[in-house]
Amino acid sequence: MSTKTKTQVAIIGAGPAGLMLGHLLHNAGIDTVIVEKKNRQYIEERIRAGVLEQGTVNAMVDSGVGDRLLTEGLENENIDIRFSGTSHRLNFRELAGGRTVWVYAQHEVVKDLVAARLGYDAPTFFEATGVGIHGLQSDSPSISFSGEAGDHVIDCDFVAGCDGFHGISRGMIPEDILRIYDREYPFAWMGVLAEVPPASNEIIYAYHERGFALQSMRGHDLSRLYVQCPVTDTVDDWPDERFWSEYRARIAARDSALQREGPILQKGVTGMRSFVCEPMQYGRLLLAGDSAHIVPPTGAKGLNMAIGDVQIMTRALAAYYRANDGELIEKYSDTCLNRVWQVQRFASMLCYNLHRFPEHNQFEHKMQVAELNNITHSRQMMRSFAENFTGLPVELFYDLA
Ligand code: APR
Ligand code: PHB
């Protein structure tokens, strides 16, 4: 059975980018269809990061999907940057004009957005196979796919490629137009979810001669902890006791509470890569999120970049449909990329200054400590750090392109 329907924006991918785009466009009175290759349970249980910038929190609250975030999320107004055995606290509220970050797991964000979407009955196709994209250089592109009820063709005005790094959208941009910028880092993170309260109620980034360590949380009694490890390591290389002893050695600071051990519920390796594709649009295709860029997890920017992109895309599409003004759509890629490169700069600067690189000698180690001292003692650097960590507002980039 083949069904042909029409919508305004066809969205490929039901990750944070696709779902938030669908929601913001719904609030703007613009129709969308979302096509996702996995099932609902898979996307709602996929464990990822969990730090939301102020702009992401505002987008969720202002668009009406922020209730659970405000009741179950944890607001963090401080970060502790540890090195040379000492804590250095930066207060975001003071340094970034009242802005903070919230810890709220990405899969909870996905759950809230799926519930909202199905709540207003917007067309959403899970377990779609063989998704194809057509006619991007025409005024009426379409997507096709096979689903539970047979084959589908959806005519639309625009296709939003929100299908992540391994999706099909980016591949629609011809090779002679597409430019890729990337860097692989010579280490990874071994991360655990442990059923024990975090030693303190703030995010801790620790630079140590033995490597990086990070304290985060998923609740008052759930710690999310990471240590730097070689890229070749697997969870088998990190039995629980080794994780705890290494984590404690690296995170320790004078007068800091000792992290208590607890049952490790989940353990996994996170790769470290920076990736940007340019342009982020081709004809009637607009890319958002991981389909266009990847950041290393230092700075917890992946989810927030995706939300930033779809806020910029929503503004452009609303201008197109309300005022028949295509100018913001033409500038979509440049507007996003101006912000993307600033976020890449921050995430890789943190990556460089908080990790031990195999090829580094003692001079580089001293340079990293000097840079961390600069970040935590120069008022200007502290403000810049806090502004970047709490998130550069998308509005800053509206008139740059
Ligand atoms: N057809 C349909 N859906 C697809 C296809 C396809 N060919 N390929 C991928 N998808 C779906 C995936 O199953 C996934 O649910 O697209 C979705 C992409 O979601 P994410 O990978 O979460 O990407 P994005 O929405 O951009 O969110 C970025 O997710 O990976 C984290 O760290 C990253 O936090 C960042 C955030
Ligand atoms: C997390 O809470 O999982 C987290 C926090 C900070 C990061 C990365 C991940 O930089």
Side-chain angles (χ1 to χ4, degrees):
M1 242 269 295
S2 176
T3 318
K4 197 170 171 60
T5 53
K6 171 138 185 56
T7 188
Q8 291 176 296
V9 182
I11 302 173
I12 305 180
L19 290 163
M20 181 55 100
L21 177 64
H23 182 60
L24 294 177
L25 291 179
H26 169 80
N27 287 355
I30 298 168
D31 294 338
T32 64
V33 167
I34 292 186
V35 174
E36 163 61 50
K37 74 177 181 182
K38 300 285 185 182
N39 62 35
R40 180 179 176 180
Q41 187 188 358
Y42 179 93
I43 63 165
E44 290 187 349
E45 292 174 2
R46 183 171 39 200
I47 302 286
R48 290 254 181 82
V51 177
L52 308 188
E53 292 174 346
Q54 188 71 58
T56 300
V57 172
N58 297 348
M60 289 193 66
V61 172
D62 298 348
S63 69
V65 288
D67 296 353
R68 236 168 36 99
L69 160 60
L70 295 179
T71 47
E72 298 173 21
L74 299 171
E75 183 170 21
N76 265 235
E77 65 172 273
N78 291 302
I79 190 166
D80 180 354
I81 299 177
R82 289 187 181 174
F83 55 96
S84 312
T86 309
S87 281
H88 308 82
R89 267 189 194 79
L90 274 62
N91 180 280
F92 295 134
R93 213 183 283 288
E94 181 205 327
L95 292 162
R99 292 140 43 98
T100 63
V101 298
W102 286 63
V103 173
Y104 185 65
Q106 176 168 322
H107 65 281
E108 303 298 346
V109 172
V110 166
K111 275 188 202 157
D112 296 335
L113 290 167
V114 170
R117 186 169 180 85
L118 301 184
Y120 43 74
D121 206 18
T124 309
F125 295 87
F126 291 107
E127 297 181 88
T129 58
V131 177
I133 304 174
H134 320 280
L136 290 173
Q137 290 298 346
S138 75
D139 291 349
S140 53
S142 64
I143 66 169
S144 58
F145 63 96
S146 303
E148 229 170 18
D151 298 340
H152 294 257
V153 173
I154 300 181
D155 291 336
C156 53
D157 304 322
F158 296 94
V159 176
C162 303
D163 47 357
F165 186 74
H166 302 288
I168 57 165
S169 300
R170 187 174 63 251
M172 298 303 293
I173 305 179
E175 278 177 19
D176 60 336
I177 293 174
L178 187 67
R179 298 182 301 285
I180 299 292
Y181 306 87
D182 66 347
R183 169 195 282 180
E184 300 272 345
Y185 296 90
F187 40 74
W189 283 1
M190 183 60 64
V192 304
L193 184 67
E195 203 168 22
V196 62
S200 64
N201 61 3
E202 63 214 348
I203 293 172
I204 304 173
Y205 281 168
Y207 172 74
H208 190 277
E209 292 223 26
R210 301 169 68 95
F212 172 74
L214 159 62
Q215 170 191 277
S216 183
M217 66 288 296
R218 289 291 179 272
H220 296 298
D221 301 317
L222 266 183
S223 298
R224 183 80 171 121
L225 313 172
Y226 302 87
V227 292
Q228 171 185 351
C229 68
V231 270
T232 48
D233 273 11
T234 68
V235 290
D236 302 336
D237 299 305
W238 287 84
D240 295 3
E241 42 298 332
R242 179 181 177 214
F243 180 88
W244 287 117
S245 69
E246 199 56 41
Y247 174 80
R248 285 172 151 178
R250 298 180 190 186
I251 206 89
R254 267 182 296 285
D255 60 42
S256 70
L258 186 69
Q259 174 64 52
R260 283 190 301 117
E261 295 187 17
I264 290 183
L265 308 175
Q266 196 251 350
K267 197 186 287 177
V269 181
T270 305
M272 312 285 290
R273 146 200 311 194
S274 290
F275 174 97
V276 178
C277 91
E278 295 187 2
M280 285 176 60
Q281 67 189 111
Y282 174 68
R284 291 298 180 100
L285 173 69
L286 305 168
L287 300 183
D290 279 17
S291 65
H293 43 70
I294 301 278
V295 274
T298 35
K301 294 297 180 195
L303 166 68
N304 298 294
M305 285 173 92
I307 303 299
D309 290 347
V310 299
Q311 288 176 293
I312 294 168
M313 195 189 297
T314 299
R315 180 169 173 263
L317 290 166
Y320 176 87
Y321 284 112
R322 285 203 196 119
N324 198 16
D325 169 1
E327 194 197 339
L328 295 182
I329 289 182
E330 267 152 45
K331 293 199 291 189
Y332 169 71
S333 177
D334 291 346
T335 308
C336 287
L337 286 167
N338 281 330
R339 185 170 189 270
V340 165
W341 281 114
Q342 283 307 315
V343 179
Q344 285 288 354
R345 178 203 68 78
F346 181 67
S348 56
M349 175 281 287
L350 272 182
C351 211
Y352 183 82
N353 286 305
L354 288 169
H355 291 83
R356 298 291 294 172
F357 285 68
E359 71 278 9
H360 277 187
N361 62 20
Q362 279 307 310
F363 176 79
E364 269 106 5
H365 170 60
K366 287 288 186 184
M367 287 298 285
Q368 289 173 305
V369 172
E371 187 61 47
L372 292 170
N373 266 310
N374 185 28
I375 289 169
T376 54
H377 292 87
S378 139
R379 201 81 197 146
Q380 232 161 339
M381 291 296 284
M382 292 160 76
R383 259 203 303 275
S384 168
F385 183 95
E387 285 164 0
N388 279 276
F389 200 90
T390 55
L392 301 171
V394 288
E395 296 77 17
L396 290 179
F397 299 88
Y398 282 166
D399 304 319
L400 279 186

